[in-house]
């Protein structure tokens, strides 16, 4: 049944009370007016709380069964999720290849999700049962994982119990691969893996130490120290849980290698490499290449080891090509072939193949992404490259949806959180990006990924003073110092200094064109930006810089019809026409021209 807002009764969902007629939504600390389509989608999902509503059903009830593209639905879902974050008390889940489901919290109207609470309760019950009656899972391939306090102190016990509960929630979808329980130090018990948790505190800092031990001989497999001010114990507990959960994922992969646990030294190497890769994949992938090289040399039939190796190698080569226009002598293709011998459909091989394709082969890259997604529709790494690709061709709504899904499927990996933050910012969702950054600062303080996320966000969209402080205190990305000074104080002289600083580094690589075009466009020098791109000869590298054409800083640049000549010059126009998928900005009602009409004019010019 089609939804008529004028006839809908008042609505209560999560922490919000909504009047459909006025479209006003009230919640703790906020009052806003929802857009009509967003409210219609909310009503459709609320009518069937906790049930899946298909995309077809949404179209029928919210758009009167008219034809609408996926990007329209995706945008409505995105705006509804943003509202849910503000109002609290409910979430919108994606059900792959089907539709969406609205889930309300079972306790209060806070930000704790229903799944989190349910999983935490389940784990506490399991822990209580395990303490009362110890039952080994002998004869199965299920890994038993114990959490125990390193000593009898109140803090160590509290940290241990918190980790047990939070790990259970994070690992709820993986219970078929492991059994998690609390190990009582007095009554004893056996486990394959043991997380030993210790803690100390004083008036200045609270510290936690996590050690992963082998249940067989109690040898140390991995360890890490964490710290926070005493007033931020909850943040400390959350950081510990996210990092430990990621290591646990890697440990489960290592134990399933070739039907048995990896040899001791290889297992330790793999855990160390996994922990680093989760943080450094998109920041410094070169760091882990030697680690995973050793792993596959010691365990040549370990498919996950090969997968991590090709992922890191391909990302490193891709960065070198984009930023420095050089190709390192790394046999990525050979290693992809080796990985496929062990697992023909290993997800990391698809990601690596995508990264090794010519960066401006838009059609070929899209074809590979679609093929890979058909095999692994929910793989976070594949969803991430899908998101990154959509950014390069202007399909921003789909980019955000893919980035969000990737992070929903793997909330333990900092790199996926970073990708979501950047995708939101690049798509103009600055406030939402800032909110995700704030949550990342609680989850992963002190990590490379967090530093990168903070810098990238504040470089162009947030507070330039924060980005400048990072540049000057940590000595990174010093080439942006003049630009940040110009953002803080945009005098003609400061702007000219920033432009000259970029020009002095050359204007031949994709990175230099990317940086200078954004700078010129941001400070109203669109004519110079246009001449710069149209005079650039290395269009084979267009895919490395085309994403910036669709960001908020270049909106005015896009508003001129000559932008379509830029798209033609870079190969984007041909891709849009062949795929039938046009960039989001073409549907902007404020755009003073019609993209397809301008494309037709350009085609006529070429044939005349």
């Amino acid at each position: 049944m089609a939804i008529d807002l004028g006839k809908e009764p008042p609505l209560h969902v999560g922490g919000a009370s909504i009047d459909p007629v006025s479209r006003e939504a009230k919640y703790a600390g906020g009052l806003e007016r929802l857009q009509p389509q967003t409210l219609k989608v909310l009503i459709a999902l609320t009518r069937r709380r906790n049930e899946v509503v298909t995309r077809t059903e949404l179209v029928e009830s919210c758009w009167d069964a008219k034809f609408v593209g996926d990007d329209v639905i995706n945008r409505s879902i995105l705006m509804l999720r943003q509202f849910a974050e503000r109002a609290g008390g409910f979430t919108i889940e994606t059900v792959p290849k089907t539709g969406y489901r609205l889930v309300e919290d079972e306790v209060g109207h806070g930000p704790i999700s229903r799944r989190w609470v349910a999983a935490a309760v389940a784990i506490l019950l399991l822990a209580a049962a395990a303490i009362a009656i110890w039952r080994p899972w002998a004869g199965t391939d299920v890994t038993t994982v114990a959490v125990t306090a390193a000593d009898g102190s109140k803090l160590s016990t509290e940290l241990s119990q918190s980790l047990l509960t939070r790990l259970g929630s994070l690992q709820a979808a993986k219970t078929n691969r492991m059994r998690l329980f609390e190990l009582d130090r007095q009554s004893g018990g056996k486990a394959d893996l043991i997380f030993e948790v210790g803690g100390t505190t004083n008036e200045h800092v609270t510290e936690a130490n996590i050690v992963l031990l082998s249940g067989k001989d109690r040898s140390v497999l991995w360890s890490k120290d964490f710290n926070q001010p005493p007033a931020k114990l909850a943040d400390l507990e959350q950081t510990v849980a996210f990092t430990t959960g990621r290591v646990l994922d890697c440990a489960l992969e290592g134990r399933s290698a070739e039907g048995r646990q990896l040899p001791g030294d290889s297992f330790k190497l793999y855990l160390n490499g996994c922990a680093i890769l989760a943080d450094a994949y998109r920041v410094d992938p070169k760091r882990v290449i030697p680690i995973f090289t050793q792993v596959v040399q010691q365990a040549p039939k370990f498919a996950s080891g090969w997968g991590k190796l090709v992922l890191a190698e391909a990302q490193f080569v891709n960065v070198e090509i984009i930023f420095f226009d050089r190709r390192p002598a790394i046999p990525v293709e050979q290693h992809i072939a080796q990985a496929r011998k062990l697992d023909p459909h290993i997800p990391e091989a698809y990601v690596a193949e995508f990264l090794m394709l010519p960066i401006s082969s838009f059609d070929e890259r899209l074809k590979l992404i679609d093929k890979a997604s058909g095999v692994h529709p929910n793989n976070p790494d594949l969803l991430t490259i899908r998101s990154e690709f959509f950014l390069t061709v202007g399909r921003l709504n789909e980019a955000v949806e893919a980035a969000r899904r990737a992070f929903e499927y793997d909330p333990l990996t900092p790199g996926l959180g970073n990708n979501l933050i950047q995708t939101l910012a690049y798509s103009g969702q600055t406030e939402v990006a800032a909110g995700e950054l704030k949550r990342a600062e609680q989850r992963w303080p002190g990590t490379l990924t967090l530093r990168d996320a903070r810098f990238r966000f504040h470089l162009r969209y947030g507070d330039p003073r924060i980005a400048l402080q990072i540049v000057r205190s940590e000595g990174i990305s010093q080439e942006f110092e003049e630009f940040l000074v110009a953002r803080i104080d945009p005098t003609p002289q400061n702007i000219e200094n920033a432009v000259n600083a970029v020009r002095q580094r050359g204007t031949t690589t994709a990175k230099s064109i990317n940086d200078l075009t954004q700078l010129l466009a941001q400070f109203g020098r669109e004519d110079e930006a246009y001449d710069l791109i149209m005079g650039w000869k290395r269009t084979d590298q267009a895919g490395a810089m085309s994403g910036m054409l669709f960001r908020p800083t270049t909106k005015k640049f896009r508003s001129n019809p000559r932008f379509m000549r830029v798209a033609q010059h870079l190969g984007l126009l041909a891709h849009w026409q062949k795929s039938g998928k046009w960039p989001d900005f073409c549907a902007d009602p404020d755009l003073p021209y019609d993209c397809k009409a301008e494309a037709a004019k350009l085609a006529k010019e070429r044939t005349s």
Side-chain angles (χ1 to χ4, degrees):
M1 179 187 298
I3 294 173
D4 182 348
L5 296 179
K7 298 180 180 179
E8 288 290 324
L11 173 69
H12 299 278
V13 57
S17 298
I18 304 163
D19 176 14
V21 178
S22 67
R23 308 202 309 275
E24 284 190 349
K26 299 178 182 178
Y27 50 87
L31 172 65
E32 61 182 277
R33 196 178 188 203
L34 299 176
Q35 293 188 10
Q37 290 305 138
T38 303
L39 180 52
K40 286 183 179 181
V41 173
L42 178 59
I43 292 171
L45 294 173
T46 305
R47 285 176 175 175
R48 293 166 54 186
R49 302 168 201 244
N50 302 318
E51 297 180 10
V52 178
V53 180
T54 68
R55 295 170 78 91
T56 300
E57 290 170 332
L58 286 178
V59 171
E60 291 175 349
S61 59
C62 304
W63 284 275
D64 298 328
K66 297 177 182 178
F67 173 78
V68 294
D70 288 345
D71 58 332
V72 176
I73 301 175
N74 292 342
R75 179 166 178 77
S76 292
I77 292 295
L78 173 62
M79 295 181 69
L80 185 53
R81 281 178 170 149
Q82 293 168 1
F83 170 69
E85 290 180 356
R86 295 189 294 272
F90 73 100
T91 56
I92 307 299
E93 297 180 346
T94 297
V95 181
K97 294 189 174 182
T98 305
Y100 303 93
R101 174 171 49 221
L102 185 146
V103 179
E104 285 189 289
D105 294 354
E106 290 185 340
V107 287
H109 298 307
I112 303 175
S113 73
R114 178 175 178 267
R115 287 180 296 170
W116 181 282
V117 174
V121 171
I123 292 302
L124 288 172
L125 291 174
L126 177 59
I131 293 171
I133 303 175
W134 167 245
R135 294 180 58 203
W137 287 272
T140 73
D141 59 358
V142 173
T143 298
T144 54
V145 181
V147 179
T148 185
D151 53 57
S153 70
K154 180 180 178 181
L155 179 59
S156 294
T157 301
E158 182 178 347
L159 289 171
S160 173
Q161 292 176 347
S162 170
L163 179 60
L164 177 70
T165 301
R166 292 170 186 264
L167 273 185
S169 302
L170 294 171
Q171 298 290 334
K174 305 181 178 68
T175 50
N176 62 318
R177 297 171 54 195
M178 71 169 190
R179 294 292 184 270
L180 184 67
F181 67 97
E182 183 176 15
L183 183 62
D184 189 314
R185 295 180 62 82
Q186 294 182 344
S187 62
K190 295 182 179 179
D192 296 312
L193 299 170
I194 302 170
F195 283 105
E196 194 172 79
V197 187
T200 61
T201 188
N202 57 44
E203 61 179 335
H204 302 295
V205 66
T206 297
E207 297 182 337
N209 172 254
I210 313 298
V211 181
L212 176 59
L213 303 170
S214 167
K216 182 178 181 180
D217 56 13
R218 296 191 72 85
S219 61
V220 176
L221 300 174
W222 171 84
S223 67
K224 187 173 177 65
D225 295 322
F226 306 83
N227 64 77
Q228 283 280 3
K232 293 189 175 183
L233 180 60
D235 289 352
L236 177 65
E237 292 174 344
Q238 180 166 267
T239 303
V240 167
F242 273 92
T243 302
T244 305
R246 186 58 185 150
V247 171
L248 178 54
D249 270 350
C250 296
L252 295 175
E253 291 173 355
R255 284 188 55 81
S256 66
E258 304 178 16
R260 63 183 189 279
Q261 181 172 308
L262 284 170
D265 289 343
S266 301
F267 195 29
K268 293 178 184 179
L269 272 174
Y270 185 66
L271 291 179
N272 184 43
C274 269
I276 296 173
L277 184 65
D279 181 24
Y281 169 44
R282 284 175 172 77
V283 182
D284 187 13
K286 187 179 180 180
R287 288 177 61 194
V288 296
I289 293 176
I291 297 176
F292 290 119
T293 298
Q294 289 185 61
V295 170
V296 299
Q297 287 173 347
Q298 296 172 9
K301 293 184 179 180
F302 181 32
S304 292
W306 284 103
K308 298 289 192 300
L309 177 61
V310 299
L311 199 63
E313 288 180 335
Q315 181 67 13
F316 172 60
V317 170
N318 187 58
V319 168
E320 289 289 294
I321 291 174
I322 290 175
F323 287 93
F324 306 107
D325 198 17
R326 65 192 182 204
R327 165 67 194 265
I330 296 178
V332 184
E333 289 82 2
Q334 295 178 27
H335 293 163
I336 292 174
Q338 182 62 41
R340 287 205 181 280
K341 286 181 181 179
L342 299 171
D343 181 354
H345 300 294
I346 185 169
E348 292 89 346
Y350 286 112
V351 176
E353 287 173 340
F354 172 86
L355 294 172
M356 299 310 295
L357 284 172
I359 200 162
S360 293
S361 298
F362 299 115
D363 297 337
E364 195 174 356
R365 283 190 152 203
L366 179 60
K367 182 178 179 181
L368 178 59
I369 290 173
D370 287 341
K371 176 183 177 181
S373 299
V375 180
H376 301 286
N378 303 326
N379 180 268
D381 291 319
L382 289 171
L383 284 167
T384 298
I385 62 167
R386 190 176 186 86
S387 169
E388 292 174 348
F389 173 78
F390 285 148
L391 286 176
T392 67
V393 296
R395 294 163 65 177
L396 307 186
N397 293 328
E398 291 167 280
V400 169
E401 179 72 8
R404 189 176 294 281
R405 284 181 58 202
F407 190 50
E408 287 174 351
Y409 282 115
D410 185 3
L412 304 178
T413 301
L416 299 181
N418 187 359
N419 181 66
L420 176 58
I421 293 167
Q422 303 313 319
T423 303
L424 288 166
Y426 294 160
S427 301
Q429 304 289 332
T430 308
E431 292 185 6
V432 183
E436 290 293 342
L437 178 59
K438 185 176 181 179
R439 283 184 280 275
E441 289 170 340
Q442 297 173 330
R443 292 168 179 155
W444 304 296
T447 61
L448 286 173
T449 292
L450 177 60
R451 185 188 69 180
D452 182 68
R454 291 182 72 240
F455 176 72
R456 288 176 178 268
F457 175 76
H458 291 294
L459 174 65
R460 299 190 188 280
Y461 308 103
D463 187 342
R465 292 167 296 183
I466 294 176
L468 185 60
Q469 190 273 333
I470 295 173
V471 169
R472 290 177 173 173
S473 64
E474 302 188 30
I476 64 170
S477 301
Q478 292 177 325
E479 67 271 20
F480 290 110
E481 183 164 353
E482 291 86 354
F483 166 69
L484 288 166
V485 170
R487 273 197 68 200
I488 295 169
D489 183 16
T491 65
Q493 186 59 57
N494 284 345
I495 293 172
E496 194 61 32
N497 290 342
V499 171
N500 290 335
V502 178
R503 289 192 187 278
Q504 287 173 6
R505 296 196 297 270
T507 55
T508 57
T509 66
K511 183 181 184 303
S512 63
I513 296 295
N514 175 85
D515 293 345
L516 186 52
T517 301
Q518 288 193 85
L519 192 157
L520 292 169
Q522 183 154 355
F523 292 114
R525 296 166 65 164
E526 287 83 10
D527 290 345
E528 293 176 66
Y530 177 79
D531 292 339
L532 175 68
I533 295 179
M534 294 303 292
W536 187 45
K537 304 301 182 184
R538 291 297 307 276
T539 54
D540 59 306
Q541 296 291 304
M545 51 72 70
S546 59
M548 62 87 185
L549 297 171
F550 310 103
R551 296 177 188 173
T553 50
T554 51
K555 181 176 182 180
K556 188 176 179 181
F557 186 57
R558 292 191 300 274
S559 67
N560 192 308
R562 67 181 177 181
F563 178 80
M564 297 304 289
R565 292 188 182 274
V566 171
Q568 182 185 55
H569 178 62
L570 298 178
L572 288 165
L573 185 55
H575 169 71
W576 297 335
Q577 291 174 315
K578 183 175 181 179
S579 66
K581 299 289 187 179
W582 290 79
D584 294 349
F585 83 90
C586 288
D588 187 342
D590 296 327
L591 191 70
Y593 62 90
D594 181 279
C595 290
K596 294 181 180 180
E598 292 299 319
K601 292 178 185 177
L602 293 174
K604 188 175 181 180
E605 285 181 11
R606 297 186 66 176
T607 57
S608 60

